[in-house]
Amino acid sequence: MHEVLLFLHGWVRWFVLLFGLLTLLRPEPRLGAFFAHTLTLQVVLGVVLAFTSPLFQGALANLPAVMAAGGEARYFVAEHWVGGLVALGLAHAGLAQARKGKPRARLLFGLALLVLLLSIPWFRPLFRL
Ligand code: HEM
């Protein structure tokens, strides 16, 4: 179960980034919906993954020590998901603006993409098989 979720979560990342990039070029509602909705799927996968992940659950069980030690466990338990949620809010705000035909949509999509790029664990496999 955990391996399947990790596989899906790793691959859906590329669809999110692709649609995020496309919304920058053309910040219109259809592409914006693809971006916001693949990102929503990614966040749902991430939350389920967190429940099945030995790394995440192990870190939760040992939180004070993990927070003090830093490293990969702290990154996943305290940082990674925060960026994911902020990006989700920005992408949906961008979609709402795009649906109203507002030029601010591009800025919001761009900020969502930037936060995503900063929140992705690039030290993990790029293409998990
Ligand atoms: C609330 C939001 C999210 C949660 C709770 C979450 C949770 C997690 C967890 C727990 C892991 C590590 C699991 C493990 O190694 O056992 C992980 C890895 C990862 N996450 Fe997320 N995530 C979230 C959002 C995102 C988003 C928005 C992206 C990118 C668009 C993303 C991309 C990744 C990638 C690329 C990995 C590494 C996968 C691998 O090792 O193959 N995550 N996430």
Side-chain angles (χ1 to χ4, degrees):
M1 177 71 166
H2 174 242
E3 277 72 30
V4 175
L5 288 167
L6 205 55
F7 172 86
L8 291 173
H9 195 63
W11 279 96
V12 169
R13 160 241 327 239
W14 295 114
F15 291 97
V16 172
L17 292 179
L18 173 70
F19 290 127
L21 206 60
L22 291 175
T23 57
L24 277 192
L25 304 175
R26 286 181 51 208
E28 42 99 338
R30 217 172 76 91
L31 285 175
F34 273 107
F35 180 35
H37 295 147
T38 47
L39 181 51
T40 305
L41 169 68
Q42 180 71 332
V43 166
V44 171
L45 284 171
V47 172
V48 183
L49 181 60
F51 279 97
T52 66
S53 162
L55 176 68
F56 197 96
Q57 291 302 318
L60 277 187
N62 227 335
L63 205 52
V66 165
M67 293 306 279
E72 190 176 355
R74 185 175 79 177
Y75 170 78
F76 281 112
V77 90
E79 296 168 30
H80 173 62
W81 60 269
V82 179
L85 288 187
V86 171
L88 183 69
L90 288 166
H92 277 274
L95 174 59
Q97 294 298 307
R99 283 182 170 145
K100 291 178 192 159
K102 297 269 173 69
R104 186 178 314 148
R106 178 177 266 132
L107 174 67
L108 289 162
F109 287 139
L111 286 174
L113 189 60
L114 180 67
V115 173
L116 280 176
L117 289 171
L118 294 173
S119 317
I120 288 176
W122 293 110
F123 52 86
R124 285 294 188 88
L126 293 181
F127 305 100
R128 197 181 276 276
L129 296 170

